[in-house]
Amino acid sequence: MNTASRSWYRSSLTLIAASLLFPPAGLVVLWSRAQTGILKRILGSVPIAALGLAHLFLFYGLRMEVDGSGITPIFSFHNPDSHYRQLERSRAEQPKSSAASFTVAVPVSAEPSAEAPSLPVSAGSEPPASRVPATGNGLSTYWTNFRGPQRNGIYEEMDILTDWPGDGLRELWRQKVGGGYASFVIAKGKIFTIEQRRERETVAAYDLKTGNEVWTHSWPAEFRESMGGDGPRATPTWDEGRVYALGATGEFWCLAADTGEVLWGKNILTDNGADNLHWGMAASPLIVEEKVIVLPGGRSGKSVVAYDKITGNPIWKALDDQQAYTSPMLVTLAGKRQLLVVSARRAMGITVEDGTLLWDYRWRTDHDINASQPILLGENRFFISAGYGHGAALVEVTSNGDGFSTREVWGNIQMKNKFTSSVLHEGHIYGLDESILACIDAETGQRKWKGGRYGYGQVMLASGHLIVLSEAGDLVLVPATPDGHKELARFSALEGKTWNHPAISDGILLVRNTTEMAGYRIGAP
């Protein structure tokens, strides 16, 4: 065998072919070429390495995201098409439900008819906290709002386990889920969320105890954002047998909770002449009496909008604020029942009846990004926080006869909630100060402790304990005490970047991220 035949694998043609087909082989060929100098081998390795990185992205599902800081990269392997195939296969293999799946060919933007289908409705909605209590049989309607009955991240339906097994809570079920950052609402044995499935946003109902899909309703929409991530953000809302779901591009649907049948729908951005936010529509709809409140952020008096929850017809439209990513809340401050709304530049109280502005308090970050939920403290105070170096404040609202006024009781940088929200327990506020768990005195703003790096995850409160879902998908149990930070338990609940809020109903803890979801038994026996 001559020299040429023995060294064919070191030829330039072989080097190019190997580098294109399998870059690691190209590096081997390059570095085995004795006739090529060291400097040329080093310089030649750069484009081959770049080809290898391209292969990882194109053929092996490597993706680069950033964590909640917006700086630190997170590398993972995820092939969207393969993921959706697995999701579709798992749904096809599940027991069939009698409920149908509904698909809409085009988004709805027209005004619904006053004759829209409706379900039986009482004279007025009860306050969320007074709804059906826990029964243990999956029939409660306790967790029907984003972050719970009062939108404050507190679970009080029943006691939870505070002595977790060494390997974590008992897993009831786990399965693939579509993309997006919404949480769950739970009612009468079903859980509801909104997902991105290929080029469609999809509202899905699942069985609480098994995780099996019951029905879906989808429409063509695909919100994409390279830094924050793709998919819908806003958690649906359940009310009296209806599910109200808002997609990232403004598509808003009222669906029958039992079947997924469309009752009415519209696009709140188109309907109110509003531009979408940089990170998409994220505010969860709020039901108050006969109204459903949404925050399209339209100009010319169309920033906050109340639609009739049965027909979808507008009841009132108000204000001119650019909106943010915080969900509206129903509160009583200074003796007045009102809507608490945090827009891009202020917190404000608005009348339920017609959207009249009662008071406002300037609250603005460098990028007009407010994403944290306020916390009500007593009869006339609320806590508010924001990331981006902004901090937190305790605000007092006072009735002065003809109107209302506000004053800042304290303000500091001891608690910076970026896109997470804090919880209140026995006079102390617990939350993620950027990515580190912290406790501050609610009355003074003084920090009591700071410890435990959980990334940009989420925090909720139950039975005097903090349940932390970390950015890496770990579930952590920490006593809610100002005495100091102590982890009682920790285990891996999900894989991959996890920003979605957890939810609990009937003693079942639900967690999800952009690729999977799971249910865990957390209720005490």
Short mmCIF file of all heavy atoms in Angstrom, two decimals, residues 185-245:
data_model
loop_
_atom_site.label_atom_id
_atom_site.label_comp_id
_atom_site.label_asym_id
_atom_site.label_seq_id
_atom_site.Cartn_x
_atom_site.Cartn_y
_atom_site.Cartn_z
N VAL A 185 -55.11 27.03 37.43
CA VAL A 185 -56.24 27.20 38.34
C VAL A 185 -56.94 25.85 38.42
O VAL A 185 -56.85 25.04 37.50
CB VAL A 185 -57.21 28.32 37.90
CG1 VAL A 185 -56.56 29.68 38.07
CG2 VAL A 185 -57.69 28.11 36.47
N ILE A 186 -57.62 25.61 39.55
CA ILE A 186 -58.18 24.29 39.82
C ILE A 186 -59.62 24.44 40.31
O ILE A 186 -59.90 25.29 41.16
CB ILE A 186 -57.36 23.55 40.91
CG1 ILE A 186 -55.87 23.52 40.54
CG2 ILE A 186 -57.88 22.14 41.12
CD1 ILE A 186 -55.00 24.36 41.43
N ALA A 187 -60.53 23.64 39.76
CA ALA A 187 -61.93 23.68 40.19
C ALA A 187 -62.62 22.37 39.85
O ALA A 187 -62.49 21.85 38.74
CB ALA A 187 -62.66 24.84 39.52
N LYS A 188 -63.32 21.82 40.82
CA LYS A 188 -64.17 20.65 40.64
C LYS A 188 -63.44 19.49 39.96
O LYS A 188 -63.94 18.87 39.04
CB LYS A 188 -65.43 21.04 39.86
CG LYS A 188 -66.31 22.02 40.62
CD LYS A 188 -67.64 22.24 39.95
CE LYS A 188 -68.52 23.14 40.81
NZ LYS A 188 -69.85 23.36 40.23
N GLY A 189 -62.25 19.23 40.45
CA GLY A 189 -61.51 18.07 39.97
C GLY A 189 -60.76 18.27 38.68
O GLY A 189 -60.14 17.33 38.18
N LYS A 190 -60.77 19.49 38.12
CA LYS A 190 -60.02 19.76 36.89
C LYS A 190 -59.00 20.86 37.14
O LYS A 190 -59.21 21.75 37.97
CB LYS A 190 -60.95 20.19 35.76
CG LYS A 190 -61.92 19.13 35.26
CD LYS A 190 -62.67 19.64 34.04
CE LYS A 190 -63.69 18.63 33.53
NZ LYS A 190 -64.84 18.49 34.49
N ILE A 191 -57.91 20.80 36.40
CA ILE A 191 -56.92 21.87 36.42
C ILE A 191 -56.85 22.47 35.02
O ILE A 191 -57.02 21.79 34.02
CB ILE A 191 -55.55 21.37 36.89
CG1 ILE A 191 -54.98 20.31 35.94
CG2 ILE A 191 -55.65 20.80 38.29
CD1 ILE A 191 -53.61 19.80 36.36
N PHE A 192 -56.61 23.78 34.98
CA PHE A 192 -56.63 24.51 33.71
C PHE A 192 -55.36 25.34 33.59
O PHE A 192 -54.92 25.99 34.54
CB PHE A 192 -57.85 25.43 33.65
CG PHE A 192 -59.15 24.75 33.93
CD1 PHE A 192 -59.65 24.66 35.22
CD2 PHE A 192 -59.90 24.18 32.90
CE1 PHE A 192 -60.86 24.03 35.49
CE2 PHE A 192 -61.10 23.54 33.15
CZ PHE A 192 -61.59 23.46 34.45
N THR A 193 -54.77 25.31 32.39
CA THR A 193 -53.61 26.14 32.11
C THR A 193 -53.63 26.49 30.63
O THR A 193 -54.48 26.01 29.87
CB THR A 193 -52.30 25.43 32.52
OG1 THR A 193 -51.22 26.37 32.46
CG2 THR A 193 -52.00 24.24 31.63
N ILE A 194 -52.69 27.32 30.21
CA ILE A 194 -52.57 27.69 28.80
C ILE A 194 -51.15 27.41 28.34
O ILE A 194 -50.20 27.67 29.08
CB ILE A 194 -52.98 29.17 28.57
CG1 ILE A 194 -52.97 29.52 27.08
CG2 ILE A 194 -52.12 30.12 29.37
CD1 ILE A 194 -53.57 30.88 26.76
N GLU A 195 -51.01 26.84 27.15
CA GLU A 195 -49.73 26.34 26.66
C GLU A 195 -49.50 26.77 25.20
O GLU A 195 -50.44 27.10 24.49
CB GLU A 195 -49.70 24.80 26.71
CG GLU A 195 -50.21 24.19 27.98
CD GLU A 195 -50.51 22.70 27.83
OE1 GLU A 195 -50.01 22.08 26.86
OE2 GLU A 195 -51.26 22.17 28.66
N GLN A 196 -48.24 26.71 24.79
CA GLN A 196 -47.89 26.83 23.38
C GLN A 196 -47.68 25.44 22.82
O GLN A 196 -46.81 24.70 23.29
CB GLN A 196 -46.62 27.66 23.19
CG GLN A 196 -46.33 28.01 21.74
CD GLN A 196 -47.28 29.07 21.22
OE1 GLN A 196 -47.54 30.07 21.88
NE2 GLN A 196 -47.80 28.86 20.02
N ARG A 197 -48.47 25.06 21.83
CA ARG A 197 -48.30 23.77 21.17
C ARG A 197 -48.08 24.04 19.68
O ARG A 197 -49.02 24.41 18.96
CB ARG A 197 -49.51 22.87 21.38
CG ARG A 197 -49.73 22.49 22.85
CD ARG A 197 -50.73 21.36 22.98
NE ARG A 197 -51.05 21.07 24.37
CZ ARG A 197 -51.92 20.13 24.75
NH1 ARG A 197 -52.56 19.40 23.83
NH2 ARG A 197 -52.19 19.93 26.02
N ARG A 198 -46.86 23.89 19.28
CA ARG A 198 -46.45 24.26 17.92
C ARG A 198 -46.82 25.71 17.66
O ARG A 198 -46.44 26.59 18.43
CB ARG A 198 -47.01 23.28 16.89
CG ARG A 198 -46.52 21.83 17.10
CD ARG A 198 -46.88 20.94 15.94
NE ARG A 198 -46.55 19.55 16.20
CZ ARG A 198 -45.36 18.99 16.01
NH1 ARG A 198 -44.38 19.72 15.54
NH2 ARG A 198 -45.16 17.72 16.27
N GLU A 199 -47.59 25.98 16.58
CA GLU A 199 -47.90 27.38 16.24
C GLU A 199 -49.25 27.81 16.81
O GLU A 199 -49.87 28.76 16.32
CB GLU A 199 -47.91 27.57 14.72
CG GLU A 199 -46.56 27.40 14.05
CD GLU A 199 -46.20 25.93 13.86
OE1 GLU A 199 -47.13 25.10 13.73
OE2 GLU A 199 -44.99 25.62 13.89
N ARG A 200 -49.71 27.14 17.86
CA ARG A 200 -51.03 27.45 18.41
C ARG A 200 -50.95 27.62 19.93
O ARG A 200 -50.23 26.90 20.61
CB ARG A 200 -52.03 26.34 18.08
CG ARG A 200 -52.10 25.98 16.60
CD ARG A 200 -53.17 24.94 16.34
NE ARG A 200 -54.50 25.52 16.45
CZ ARG A 200 -55.13 26.15 15.46
NH1 ARG A 200 -54.54 26.26 14.28
NH2 ARG A 200 -56.33 26.64 15.62
N GLU A 201 -51.68 28.61 20.43
CA GLU A 201 -51.89 28.69 21.86
C GLU A 201 -53.06 27.78 22.22
O GLU A 201 -54.06 27.73 21.50
CB GLU A 201 -52.20 30.13 22.29
CG GLU A 201 -50.98 31.04 22.19
CD GLU A 201 -51.26 32.45 22.64
OE1 GLU A 201 -52.43 32.90 22.52
OE2 GLU A 201 -50.33 33.12 23.09
N THR A 202 -52.93 27.08 23.33
CA THR A 202 -53.90 26.04 23.68
C THR A 202 -54.27 26.13 25.15
O THR A 202 -53.40 26.08 26.02
CB THR A 202 -53.32 24.64 23.40
OG1 THR A 202 -52.99 24.53 22.01
CG2 THR A 202 -54.31 23.55 23.77
N VAL A 203 -55.57 26.29 25.41
CA VAL A 203 -56.08 26.13 26.77
C VAL A 203 -56.37 24.66 26.96
O VAL A 203 -57.03 24.03 26.13
CB VAL A 203 -57.35 26.96 26.99
CG1 VAL A 203 -57.84 26.81 28.44
CG2 VAL A 203 -57.12 28.42 26.67
N ALA A 204 -55.85 24.09 28.05
CA ALA A 204 -56.03 22.66 28.29
C ALA A 204 -56.60 22.43 29.68
O ALA A 204 -56.21 23.09 30.64
CB ALA A 204 -54.70 21.92 28.14
N ALA A 205 -57.52 21.48 29.77
CA ALA A 205 -58.07 21.03 31.04
C ALA A 205 -57.57 19.62 31.31
O ALA A 205 -57.56 18.77 30.41
CB ALA A 205 -59.60 21.06 31.00
N TYR A 206 -57.14 19.38 32.55
CA TYR A 206 -56.63 18.08 32.94
C TYR A 206 -57.36 17.58 34.19
O TYR A 206 -57.91 18.38 34.96
CB TYR A 206 -55.12 18.16 33.26
CG TYR A 206 -54.26 18.59 32.11
CD1 TYR A 206 -53.91 19.93 31.94
CD2 TYR A 206 -53.77 17.67 31.19
CE1 TYR A 206 -53.10 20.33 30.90
CE2 TYR A 206 -52.96 18.07 30.14
CZ TYR A 206 -52.63 19.40 29.99
OH TYR A 206 -51.82 19.80 28.95
N ASP A 207 -57.33 16.29 34.38
CA ASP A 207 -57.88 15.71 35.60
C ASP A 207 -56.90 15.93 36.74
O ASP A 207 -55.71 15.64 36.62
CB ASP A 207 -58.13 14.21 35.40
CG ASP A 207 -58.74 13.56 36.62
OD1 ASP A 207 -59.97 13.61 36.74
OD2 ASP A 207 -57.99 13.03 37.45
N LEU A 208 -57.38 16.45 37.87
CA LEU A 208 -56.51 16.80 38.98
C LEU A 208 -55.77 15.59 39.54
O LEU A 208 -54.58 15.67 39.86
CB LEU A 208 -57.34 17.46 40.09
CG LEU A 208 -56.62 17.76 41.41
CD1 LEU A 208 -55.49 18.75 41.19
CD2 LEU A 208 -57.61 18.31 42.45
N LYS A 209 -56.43 14.45 39.65
CA LYS A 209 -55.84 13.30 40.33
C LYS A 209 -54.95 12.45 39.43
O LYS A 209 -54.04 11.77 39.90
CB LYS A 209 -56.94 12.44 40.94
CG LYS A 209 -57.66 13.14 42.08
CD LYS A 209 -58.65 12.24 42.78
CE LYS A 209 -59.30 12.95 43.97
NZ LYS A 209 -60.27 12.07 44.68
N THR A 210 -55.19 12.49 38.11
CA THR A 210 -54.41 11.64 37.20
C THR A 210 -53.51 12.43 36.26
O THR A 210 -52.57 11.86 35.68
CB THR A 210 -55.34 10.77 36.34
OG1 THR A 210 -56.10 11.62 35.46
CG2 THR A 210 -56.30 9.96 37.22
N GLY A 211 -53.80 13.71 36.06
CA GLY A 211 -53.06 14.51 35.10
C GLY A 211 -53.46 14.27 33.66
O GLY A 211 -52.90 14.88 32.74
N ASN A 212 -54.44 13.40 33.41
CA ASN A 212 -54.86 13.12 32.03
C ASN A 212 -55.61 14.31 31.45
O ASN A 212 -56.38 14.98 32.14
CB ASN A 212 -55.76 11.89 31.99
CG ASN A 212 -54.99 10.61 32.24
OD1 ASN A 212 -53.77 10.56 32.06
ND2 ASN A 212 -55.69 9.56 32.66
N GLU A 213 -55.39 14.53 30.17
CA GLU A 213 -56.05 15.63 29.47
C GLU A 213 -57.54 15.34 29.30
O GLU A 213 -57.93 14.24 28.92
CB GLU A 213 -55.40 15.82 28.11
CG GLU A 213 -55.90 17.02 27.32
CD GLU A 213 -55.17 17.17 26.01
OE1 GLU A 213 -54.02 17.67 26.02
OE2 GLU A 213 -55.73 16.73 24.99
N VAL A 214 -58.37 16.36 29.58
CA VAL A 214 -59.82 16.23 29.45
C VAL A 214 -60.31 16.90 28.17
O VAL A 214 -61.09 16.32 27.42
CB VAL A 214 -60.53 16.84 30.68
CG1 VAL A 214 -62.05 16.74 30.54
CG2 VAL A 214 -60.07 16.16 31.96
N TRP A 215 -59.86 18.14 27.92
CA TRP A 215 -60.21 18.81 26.67
C TRP A 215 -59.17 19.89 26.37
O TRP A 215 -58.40 20.28 27.25
CB TRP A 215 -61.62 19.41 26.70
CG TRP A 215 -61.93 20.40 27.80
CD1 TRP A 215 -62.69 20.17 28.91
CD2 TRP A 215 -61.53 21.79 27.87
NE1 TRP A 215 -62.77 21.30 29.68
CE2 TRP A 215 -62.08 22.32 29.06
CE3 TRP A 215 -60.79 22.62 27.07
CZ2 TRP A 215 -61.89 23.65 29.46
CZ3 TRP A 215 -60.57 23.95 27.47
CH2 TRP A 215 -61.13 24.45 28.65
N THR A 216 -59.16 20.35 25.12
CA THR A 216 -58.32 21.48 24.73
C THR A 216 -59.10 22.42 23.83
O THR A 216 -60.06 22.02 23.17
CB THR A 216 -57.06 21.02 23.96
OG1 THR A 216 -57.46 20.38 22.75
CG2 THR A 216 -56.21 20.11 24.79
N HIS A 217 -58.69 23.66 23.84
CA HIS A 217 -59.20 24.65 22.88
C HIS A 217 -58.00 25.45 22.40
O HIS A 217 -57.21 25.95 23.20
CB HIS A 217 -60.22 25.58 23.53
CG HIS A 217 -60.54 26.77 22.68
ND1 HIS A 217 -61.26 26.67 21.51
CD2 HIS A 217 -60.21 28.08 22.80
CE1 HIS A 217 -61.38 27.87 20.96
NE2 HIS A 217 -60.74 28.74 21.73
N SER A 218 -57.81 25.56 21.09
CA SER A 218 -56.61 26.22 20.57
C SER A 218 -56.95 27.20 19.47
O SER A 218 -58.02 27.16 18.86
CB SER A 218 -55.62 25.17 20.06
OG SER A 218 -56.12 24.52 18.91
N TRP A 219 -56.00 28.09 19.21
CA TRP A 219 -56.13 29.08 18.13
C TRP A 219 -54.73 29.41 17.61
O TRP A 219 -53.73 29.22 18.31
CB TRP A 219 -56.83 30.34 18.63
CG TRP A 219 -56.14 31.00 19.78
CD1 TRP A 219 -55.15 31.95 19.72
CD2 TRP A 219 -56.37 30.76 21.18
NE1 TRP A 219 -54.75 32.29 20.99
CE2 TRP A 219 -55.49 31.59 21.90
CE3 TRP A 219 -57.25 29.92 21.88
CZ2 TRP A 219 -55.46 31.62 23.29
CZ3 TRP A 219 -57.21 29.95 23.27
CH2 TRP A 219 -56.33 30.78 23.97
N PRO A 220 -54.62 29.88 16.37
CA PRO A 220 -53.30 30.17 15.80
C PRO A 220 -52.70 31.43 16.43
O PRO A 220 -53.22 32.53 16.27
CB PRO A 220 -53.59 30.37 14.31
CG PRO A 220 -55.03 30.74 14.25
CD PRO A 220 -55.71 30.06 15.37
N ALA A 221 -51.63 31.27 17.15
CA ALA A 221 -50.90 32.39 17.76
C ALA A 221 -49.58 31.84 18.26
O ALA A 221 -49.52 30.75 18.82
CB ALA A 221 -51.69 33.01 18.91
N GLU A 222 -48.52 32.61 18.08
CA GLU A 222 -47.20 32.18 18.54
C GLU A 222 -46.40 33.41 18.94
O GLU A 222 -45.89 34.13 18.10
CB GLU A 222 -46.47 31.38 17.47
CG GLU A 222 -45.17 30.77 17.96
CD GLU A 222 -44.50 29.91 16.91
OE1 GLU A 222 -44.85 30.03 15.73
OE2 GLU A 222 -43.62 29.12 17.28
N PHE A 223 -46.32 33.64 20.24
CA PHE A 223 -45.53 34.76 20.74
C PHE A 223 -44.10 34.29 20.96
O PHE A 223 -43.87 33.31 21.67
CB PHE A 223 -46.12 35.28 22.06
CG PHE A 223 -45.37 36.46 22.62
CD1 PHE A 223 -45.63 37.74 22.15
CD2 PHE A 223 -44.38 36.28 23.58
CE1 PHE A 223 -44.93 38.83 22.65
CE2 PHE A 223 -43.68 37.37 24.08
CZ PHE A 223 -43.95 38.65 23.62
N ARG A 224 -43.16 35.01 20.38
CA ARG A 224 -41.75 34.62 20.49
C ARG A 224 -40.95 35.79 21.04
O ARG A 224 -41.13 36.94 20.62
CB ARG A 224 -41.19 34.18 19.14
CG ARG A 224 -41.95 33.02 18.51
CD ARG A 224 -41.31 32.55 17.21
NE ARG A 224 -40.01 31.93 17.47
CZ ARG A 224 -39.84 30.64 17.78
NH1 ARG A 224 -40.89 29.84 17.89
NH2 ARG A 224 -38.64 30.15 17.99
N GLU A 225 -40.06 35.49 22.00
CA GLU A 225 -39.21 36.53 22.59
C GLU A 225 -37.92 35.85 23.03
O GLU A 225 -37.94 34.94 23.85
CB GLU A 225 -39.92 37.18 23.77
CG GLU A 225 -39.46 38.59 24.08
CD GLU A 225 -38.07 38.60 24.73
OE1 GLU A 225 -37.82 37.77 25.63
OE2 GLU A 225 -37.24 39.42 24.30
N SER A 226 -36.80 36.28 22.49
CA SER A 226 -35.55 35.53 22.66
C SER A 226 -35.03 35.53 24.08
O SER A 226 -34.47 34.53 24.55
CB SER A 226 -34.47 36.10 21.71
OG SER A 226 -34.24 37.48 21.99
N MET A 227 -35.20 36.61 24.82
CA MET A 227 -34.65 36.67 26.17
C MET A 227 -35.61 36.08 27.19
O MET A 227 -35.24 35.24 28.01
CB MET A 227 -34.31 38.12 26.56
CG MET A 227 -33.72 38.24 27.96
SD MET A 227 -33.16 39.90 28.35
CE MET A 227 -31.71 40.01 27.30
N GLY A 228 -36.88 36.50 27.18
CA GLY A 228 -37.84 36.01 28.16
C GLY A 228 -38.36 34.62 27.85
O GLY A 228 -38.78 33.89 28.74
N GLY A 229 -38.35 34.25 26.58
CA GLY A 229 -38.87 32.95 26.19
C GLY A 229 -40.20 33.06 25.49
O GLY A 229 -40.88 34.08 25.54
N ASP A 230 -40.59 31.97 24.82
CA ASP A 230 -41.78 31.97 23.97
C ASP A 230 -43.00 31.46 24.73
O ASP A 230 -42.90 30.82 25.77
CB ASP A 230 -41.54 31.05 22.76
CG ASP A 230 -40.28 31.44 21.99
OD1 ASP A 230 -39.89 32.62 22.04
OD2 ASP A 230 -39.69 30.55 21.34
N GLY A 231 -44.18 31.74 24.15
CA GLY A 231 -45.41 31.15 24.66
C GLY A 231 -46.24 32.08 25.51
O GLY A 231 -45.82 33.18 25.88
N PRO A 232 -47.47 31.65 25.85
CA PRO A 232 -48.39 32.47 26.65
C PRO A 232 -47.91 32.60 28.10
O PRO A 232 -47.20 31.74 28.62
CB PRO A 232 -49.71 31.72 26.55
CG PRO A 232 -49.33 30.31 26.26
CD PRO A 232 -48.08 30.38 25.45
N ARG A 233 -48.34 33.69 28.76
CA ARG A 233 -47.89 34.00 30.11
C ARG A 233 -49.00 34.03 31.15
O ARG A 233 -48.78 33.72 32.31
CB ARG A 233 -47.23 35.39 30.13
CG ARG A 233 -45.79 35.39 29.67
CD ARG A 233 -45.64 35.71 28.22
NE ARG A 233 -44.28 36.13 27.94
CZ ARG A 233 -43.37 35.40 27.30
NH1 ARG A 233 -43.70 34.20 26.85
NH2 ARG A 233 -42.16 35.87 27.10
N ALA A 234 -50.18 34.48 30.76
CA ALA A 234 -51.24 34.78 31.72
C ALA A 234 -51.96 33.51 32.19
O ALA A 234 -52.42 32.72 31.36
CB ALA A 234 -52.25 35.76 31.12
N THR A 235 -52.08 33.34 33.49
CA THR A 235 -52.81 32.20 34.05
C THR A 235 -54.31 32.41 33.83
O THR A 235 -54.83 33.49 34.05
CB THR A 235 -52.53 32.10 35.56
OG1 THR A 235 -51.12 31.91 35.74
CG2 THR A 235 -53.29 30.95 36.18
N PRO A 236 -55.03 31.36 33.37
CA PRO A 236 -56.49 31.49 33.21
C PRO A 236 -57.17 31.74 34.57
O PRO A 236 -56.56 31.62 35.63
CB PRO A 236 -56.90 30.13 32.63
CG PRO A 236 -55.65 29.56 32.05
CD PRO A 236 -54.54 30.06 32.92
N THR A 237 -58.46 32.09 34.49
CA THR A 237 -59.28 32.28 35.69
C THR A 237 -60.54 31.44 35.54
O THR A 237 -61.12 31.37 34.45
CB THR A 237 -59.67 33.77 35.85
OG1 THR A 237 -58.48 34.54 35.99
CG2 THR A 237 -60.56 33.98 37.07
N TRP A 238 -60.96 30.77 36.62
CA TRP A 238 -62.20 29.98 36.62
C TRP A 238 -63.26 30.72 37.41
O TRP A 238 -62.99 31.29 38.47
CB TRP A 238 -61.95 28.62 37.26
CG TRP A 238 -63.14 27.68 37.25
CD1 TRP A 238 -63.40 26.70 36.34
CD2 TRP A 238 -64.23 27.62 38.19
NE1 TRP A 238 -64.57 26.04 36.64
CE2 TRP A 238 -65.10 26.58 37.78
CE3 TRP A 238 -64.56 28.35 39.32
CZ2 TRP A 238 -66.27 26.26 38.47
CZ3 TRP A 238 -65.72 28.04 40.02
CH2 TRP A 238 -66.57 27.00 39.59
N ASP A 239 -64.49 30.73 36.90
CA ASP A 239 -65.60 31.36 37.63
C ASP A 239 -66.92 30.73 37.20
O ASP A 239 -67.27 30.76 36.01
CB ASP A 239 -65.63 32.87 37.35
CG ASP A 239 -66.80 33.55 38.04
OD1 ASP A 239 -66.72 33.79 39.26
OD2 ASP A 239 -67.81 33.82 37.35
N GLU A 240 -67.63 30.14 38.14
CA GLU A 240 -68.99 29.63 37.93
C GLU A 240 -69.13 28.81 36.65
O GLU A 240 -70.01 29.03 35.82
CB GLU A 240 -69.99 30.79 37.95
CG GLU A 240 -70.03 31.49 39.30
CD GLU A 240 -71.06 32.60 39.35
OE1 GLU A 240 -71.28 33.28 38.31
OE2 GLU A 240 -71.63 32.81 40.44
N GLY A 241 -68.22 27.87 36.48
CA GLY A 241 -68.30 26.96 35.34
C GLY A 241 -67.73 27.49 34.05
O GLY A 241 -67.92 26.87 33.00
N ARG A 242 -67.01 28.60 34.12
CA ARG A 242 -66.38 29.17 32.92
C ARG A 242 -64.89 29.35 33.15
O ARG A 242 -64.47 29.64 34.26
CB ARG A 242 -67.00 30.52 32.55
CG ARG A 242 -68.48 30.46 32.23
CD ARG A 242 -69.04 31.87 32.02
NE ARG A 242 -70.47 31.83 31.81
CZ ARG A 242 -71.38 31.75 32.79
NH1 ARG A 242 -70.98 31.71 34.04
NH2 ARG A 242 -72.66 31.72 32.52
N VAL A 243 -64.13 29.23 32.09
CA VAL A 243 -62.69 29.50 32.13
C VAL A 243 -62.41 30.70 31.24
O VAL A 243 -62.84 30.73 30.08
CB VAL A 243 -61.88 28.28 31.65
CG1 VAL A 243 -60.39 28.63 31.58
CG2 VAL A 243 -62.09 27.10 32.59
N TYR A 244 -61.70 31.68 31.78
CA TYR A 244 -61.33 32.88 31.03
C TYR A 244 -59.83 32.83 30.80
O TYR A 244 -59.04 32.83 31.75
CB TYR A 244 -61.72 34.13 31.82
CG TYR A 244 -63.21 34.24 32.05
CD1 TYR A 244 -63.82 33.56 33.10
CD2 TYR A 244 -64.01 35.00 31.20
CE1 TYR A 244 -65.19 33.64 33.31
CE2 TYR A 244 -65.39 35.08 31.40
CZ TYR A 244 -65.97 34.40 32.45
OH TYR A 244 -67.33 34.48 32.65
N ALA A 245 -59.42 32.76 29.53
CA ALA A 245 -58.01 32.54 29.18
C ALA A 245 -57.53 33.64 28.24
O ALA A 245 -58.18 33.93 27.23
CB ALA A 245 -57.83 31.18 28.54
#
